[in-house]
Amino acid sequence: MTNLHEASINTLAEKIGICNGYHEKNGNYKETSTTTKEKFLNAMGYKTSTEKEINDYLNEIRKEEIKPLKSSNVLSCVENKFILPIRTHELTVGKVALSVQLENGKTIKYSKEITDYEIKDNNFHMTLANIMEGYHEVTLTNNDYLQKAYLILCPSQAFVPDWIKNNEKRWGVSVQLYALQSKNSNGIGTFTDLTNFGKEVAKQGGSMIALNPMHAQLTEINSDAKSPYFPISRNYLDPLYMDISKIVGYKKCTNLKKITQALELQKEMAVAKQSRYVNYKFISKYFTQITREIFKTFIQENKGKKNNKEYAKFMDFCNNQLDSNLDDYATYCVLSMKHNSTSWLSWDKKYHDKTSKDIKIFKIKHQNDILYYKFLQWQTSVQLDKSIKTLIKNNLSDGLFLDLAIGTMTGGYTTWAFPRLYISDVSVGAPADEFTADGQQWNLTPYNPQELHKTGYKSYSNVLRNTMKYANFLRLDHVIGLSRLFVIHEELGSQQGVYLSFPKEDMMSILCLESKRNSCVIVGEALGLVEDGFKEDLERKNILSFTLMIFERWEDTGLFKRPDTYKKLSVASTTNHDLPTMAGYYMGSDIAYERKLGLDHYEAIIHKETQREKERQMIMDALSDQNIMPTFKYHHHDENMRELTMKTQEYVAKSSSLIAMVNYHDLLSNYHPLNIPGTSRTYRNWGLKTPVDTEDINGIMTDLSHIMSKHDRFNKENKN
């Protein structure tokens, strides 16, 4: 590679957002090699074998950079108006006219004279007043010049409700929905369990339930790799959370009794119910068998009959999806089942292109199977929506606090349906840190930021909209992804990963627009390596953050920070799903699992165990400082762990944070981890059930309610 060729690759990489390097956790700067940059350029579709190829790309980029408007012009409101910057390189003296086609179909026009001075100075803008926020299209004309572009007008900040503006303090409970158990459950939590659980939380003064992502999965195939953060699509829901008995047509399905009373199935069901972990393989097999029978009955009973309200509702659902891609999604599901793989990369090549003739023929041949997967989405949406309405009616006034995963699985539906929007052969991950010495590779395919911008951010806004319609609060997993993502090429590994930049201001502004439209509070998870100033950017946009007691420590001493130092606009908790519960942390079970699974070398484990002994004392010192000292010292008994759990919840309840979030597994003094990052093959992540049925939680919740009320943390809208 010549010096000139190398320089051109570096220039192109910088133009499209591949960072030159990054600071590691220890502060050292790690530079990205030109060879690595070239590998990522190739993955993004850029040919780099000759100087001419690279220069052609650079020339195209320069042409775009001097056009009056960007492909997508995302503006935030300033004093009830929007300022549109216009580049003047290709303009001439005279009138510049804008014709804005609003999303509601109306047109607004603006015009302004441009002078020779403004052209030479390249300092020209137009003020857009009396125009609504939203997704519009704009046409710019200047003499004989014409350009069309996207115009997205956004509020300056995300939505927050009045009670947050008034500094009221509230609390909620965080739970993995699959983990909820009841006396009538079939081994996995359902929307019915969620409703009953939420009613109890509301009764005790809580105002919200935080859940794992509800994104679509095909557990029939991926039962051994079930992670709510590893979806096939973020636009659709996971049907496995449905209460089968509440599916339309269930009561009319006469074959169900014969299926469910089969002796072998009853034996398997008994084992699944008693298991400490969710048996996804059996439950998904059972779910598919039952729901196919229900669907069959529903079609036989309703299709083709006049004035059939239920079938009409089903058809309305199929024809009125926000992103209009339900047919493609259902086709992907059928193809996945045909190939026994959710990765389209392993399918017959003739099915790789969703617009191909073979796909059209396949859709005709498999109409009924495709309709079945549409039926599942319809009923999942109906049940989730009904659960939310019931909970709000029963005084859980802030409803659901949902979670948005950072991406979708490599080879999943989204990358099949929109391949140009994603970067093939590349995965999102994280560089090495104190928790994972070799870094993490998540097998989630990142957006191509260039294509995202060119297409008006439609895919991004659809994901936000489809998630927020069920949420009053939304957690953004790895929110730093609005600015940059650590990406790993499949041929290079995490040690040669790079940071890929994203249009932060555009992404944040669109997030604020959807937040306001859906009256949804945004909370960003910004743990790990975060670039300077990013957390301040979140605050500027009214995006809340997370404050975890386990991490709130003074750097010089390691002591736990007092709760009155926590950020007001934050959600405070003891730990989260990727960390040990408080009981697990105190007992050192996370370190024990590291030893058992070989996640760190012997000397490091010994050091962690020694350090943890000091940290136990630090916990006691922190609680003592707040006059909430437990009555025991270091005895690892269940009753002592229950007391410790309640004392640490009180510590969080005393905090300045307006929202206190209680981890349900924490509340039950569970010391087994829900998830150990990087152990998908060696530990049963995302399957641990709760040991207490939802019918039996009144006593625990009453104790929690007393703690929260003691520190003026309650839902004033609760009418109980």
Side-chain angles (χ1 to χ4, degrees), residues 31 43 73 128 150 154 157 184 271 307 311 345 375 428 470 479 493 542 574 620 629 667 716:
E31 190 170 347
N73 302 271
L128 310 182
Y150 293 107
C154 309
Q157 293 183 312
N184 296 318
V271 172
N307 303 319
Y311 195 78
L345 299 168
F375 177 79
V428 180
Y470 302 109
V479 70
N542 254 2
T574 50
M620 292 300 178
M629 184 74 172
L667 198 61
K716 293 181 180 178

Side-chain angles (χ1 to χ4, degrees), residues 331-347:
T331 302
Y332 162 87
C333 292
V334 178
L335 281 164
S336 293
M337 296 301 293
K338 170 184 170 62
H339 293 89
N340 195 34
S341 172
T342 51
S343 175
W344 61 270
L345 299 168
S346 65
W347 299 350

